[in-house]
C-alpha cells in the first residue's frame, strides 16, 4: 500500500501507477534528462546557466503497435524531448512552474497523449535539488500551442512620438481601436529620453524602460489602452479584442536568439513582436501609405 507521504517523494512513474485506478494507460517516459539553461527570477540567475533535470511520464491511448511492430502507431519518445527543447528555446523564463506548464501543454497537443507528469529540478541552487512537479490531463478540446490564435492575426502598429502627440494621436488610436483585427500598439522611448551610460546592457534596459514610460503615459490619458508585458497577456488580448500597448522589457530580455541587440530601436522591436505574434507585418503610422489613420 502506498501512502500519500511516500508517494509525494517517489518517482513520477510511481505516481502515475498509483493514480491509474482500474484502467491503466500505456506509458512512455524520459528519465533524468539534464541540460544547462538560463532560468530563474533572481538577478543572480541572469546571464548564467544552471543545470536542470527533467523526468516526464506520458500516458498514451492504447494502440496495436506491439502486434504489428509498426513505429507509426506509437507516440515517439521524441515527443517529450522535442517539447522540452522547443520550450527552452522559445524564451527565457523565470519560473520552473511556467516551463512545466508549457511542456505539458505542448505534449498534450498530440492526439495519442492522455495524461502527463512533468518533474523539473534545479541542481545548482542548493547542495541537493529543488523543483516542481505537475500532472495535466488532456481537456476536451485541442490544447496545442497557438490553437486558439491561429486565425487571429493581430494588427501591430508603431506610433512614433511625432504621431503620438495628443492632437494627432487620438485620431490614430481611434482608427486602431475601430479596426476589425485585435490591435497591439508599439511606441518609441518617451521624448525626454534617457542619459546613456555607455554600457550596452544598461542602456538597453533604460531604452526599454523609456518605451514603457511612454506606454503608461498613453494608458493614463486613454483608458482603452491597456499596457501588457508578457506573451500570455498578449495572447489573451488578441483573443478578447483588447487594445493593448506593448511594454517590451520582459519579452525582449527573456527572448532566446531573437536577433535583437542592445542597439535595436523601437521599430526593430515592433517588427520583432509582429513576427512573434504572427502578424502580416508592421504598420508604422505616418510613413509610406499610412500617412493618415484612414489608411489603416
Amino acid at each position: 500500500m502506498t501512502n500519500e507521504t511516500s508517494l509525494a517523494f517517489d518517482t513520477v512513474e510511481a505516481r502515475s501507477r498509483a493514480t491509474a485506478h482500474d484502467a491503466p494507460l500505456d506509458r512512455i517516459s524520459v528519465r533524468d534528462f539534464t541540460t544547462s539553461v538560463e532560468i530563474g527570477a533572481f538577478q543572480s540567475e541572469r546571464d548564467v546557466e544552471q543545470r536542470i533535470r527533467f523526468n516526464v511520464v506520458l500516458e498514451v491511448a492504447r494502440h496495436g503497435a506491439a502486434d504489428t511492430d509498426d513505429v507509426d502507431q506509437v507516440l515517439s519518445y521524441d515527443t517529450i524531448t522535442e517539447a522540452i527543447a522547443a520550450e527552452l528555446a522559445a524564451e527565457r523564463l523565470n519560473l520552473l512552474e511556467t516551463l512545466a506548464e508549457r511542456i505539458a501543454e505542448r505534449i498534450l497537443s498530440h492526439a495519442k497523449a492522455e495524461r502527463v507528469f512533468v518533474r523539473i529540478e534545479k541542481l545548482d541552487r542548493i547542495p541537493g535539488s529543488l523543483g516542481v512537479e505537475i500532472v495535466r490531463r488532456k481537456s476536451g478540446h485541442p490544447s496545442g500551442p497557438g490553437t486558439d490564435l491561429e486565425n487571429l492575426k493581430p494588427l501591430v502598429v508603431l506610433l512614433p512620438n511625432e504621431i503620438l502627440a495628443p492632437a494627432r494621436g487620438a485620431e490614430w488610436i481611434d482608427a486602431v481601436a475601430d479596426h476589425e483585427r485585435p490591435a497591439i500598439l508599439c511606441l518609441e522611448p518617451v521624448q525626454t529620453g534617457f542619459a546613456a551610460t555607455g554600457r550596452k546592457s544598461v542602456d538597453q534596459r533604460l531604452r526599454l524602460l523609456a518605451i514603457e514610460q511612454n506606454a503608461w503615459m498613453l494608458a493614463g490619458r486613454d483608458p482603452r489602452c491597456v499596457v501588457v508585458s508578457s506573451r500570455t497577456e498578449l495572447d489573451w488580448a488578441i483573443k478578447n479584442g483588447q487594445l493593448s500597448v506593448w511594454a517590451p522589457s520582459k519579452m525582449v530580455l527573456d527572448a532566446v536568439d531573437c536577433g535583437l541587440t542592445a542597439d535595436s530601436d523601437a521599430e526593430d522591436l515592433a517588427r520583432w513582436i509582429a513576427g512573434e505574434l504572427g502578424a502580416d507585418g508592421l504598420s508604422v503610422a505616418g510613413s509610406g501609405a499610412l500617412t493618415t489613420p484612414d489608411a489603416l
Side-chain angles (χ1 to χ4, degrees):
M1 178 68 75
T2 303
N3 61 50
E4 290 294 327
T5 302
S6 63
L7 189 60
F9 294 94
D10 213 327
T11 65
V12 284
E13 289 91 346
R15 286 174 56 79
S16 174
R17 289 193 300 269
T19 57
H21 305 299
D22 296 329
L25 295 167
D26 295 342
R27 306 179 189 94
I28 62 174
S29 64
V30 169
R31 301 184 185 184
D32 299 330
F33 179 88
T34 304
T35 188
S36 294
V37 66
E38 183 187 340
I39 190 170
F42 293 98
Q43 190 62 38
S44 61
E45 295 179 290
R46 284 200 171 267
D47 301 321
V48 297
E49 291 190 346
Q50 57 183 303
R51 292 176 302 146
I52 55 176
R53 180 170 61 205
F54 298 86
N55 281 276
V56 180
V57 170
L58 172 58
E59 296 180 335
V60 298
R62 297 285 181 87
H63 52 75
D67 298 328
T68 62
D69 200 32
D70 184 358
V71 68
D72 291 334
Q73 291 193 43
V74 300
L75 197 58
S76 170
Y77 305 101
D78 292 341
T79 299
I80 297 174
T81 57
E82 289 174 0
I84 293 171
E87 295 304 331
L88 289 178
E91 65 174 316
R92 184 198 181 281
L93 296 175
N94 290 326
L95 301 176
L96 293 181
E97 288 87 346
T98 305
L99 179 58
E101 286 281 359
R102 293 185 180 181
I103 289 171
E105 180 182 12
R106 185 175 288 272
I107 291 172
L108 289 173
S109 69
H110 291 268
K112 293 184 175 69
E114 295 292 337
R115 186 169 69 152
V116 64
F117 293 71
V118 180
R119 177 181 288 173
I120 311 177
E121 298 166 287
K122 292 183 179 181
L123 304 180
D124 298 328
R125 292 291 292 173
I126 62 174
S129 65
L130 53 85
V132 301
E133 181 179 317
I134 67 170
V135 184
R136 296 293 181 265
R137 184 183 297 277
K138 175 172 288 182
S139 59
H141 55 81
S143 58
T147 298
D148 296 328
L149 299 172
E150 57 189 10
N151 296 318
L152 285 176
K153 291 186 177 182
L155 175 69
V156 180
V157 181
L158 174 63
L159 291 183
N161 283 332
E162 61 181 18
I163 295 293
L164 193 59
R168 300 184 65 191
E171 296 180 21
W172 281 95
I173 294 170
D174 287 344
V176 172
D178 291 340
H179 199 275
E180 60 184 5
R181 293 188 181 181
I184 311 294
L185 294 176
C186 299
L187 305 179
E188 293 180 327
V190 66
Q191 286 182 314
T192 54
F194 61 92
T197 67
R199 294 176 58 190
K200 285 196 171 184
S201 61
V202 174
D203 288 344
Q204 180 188 30
R205 287 176 178 267
L206 290 173
R207 186 180 295 107
L208 294 170
L209 289 173
I211 292 173
E212 296 188 1
Q213 184 179 352
N214 225 4
W216 283 107
M217 290 170 63
L218 176 57
R221 78 175 197 236
D222 191 324
R224 294 174 298 177
C225 298
V226 180
V227 178
V228 295
S229 61
S230 69
R231 180 59 188 264
T232 299
E233 290 176 298
L234 284 168
D235 287 348
W236 186 93
I238 291 169
K239 287 188 288 186
N240 290 275
Q242 172 183 282
L243 177 58
S244 301
V245 188
W246 183 43
S249 291
K250 174 176 169 41
M251 290 185 67
V252 170
L253 295 175
D254 289 351
V256 177
D257 297 328
C258 63
L260 297 172
T261 69
D263 297 322
S264 297
D265 62 17
E267 186 168 339
D268 294 329
L269 300 178
R271 292 194 184 282
W272 175 74
I273 194 60
E276 289 291 298
L277 296 174
D280 288 331
L282 172 67
S283 301
V284 181
S287 66
L290 291 179
T291 54
T292 66
D294 293 337
L296 280 175

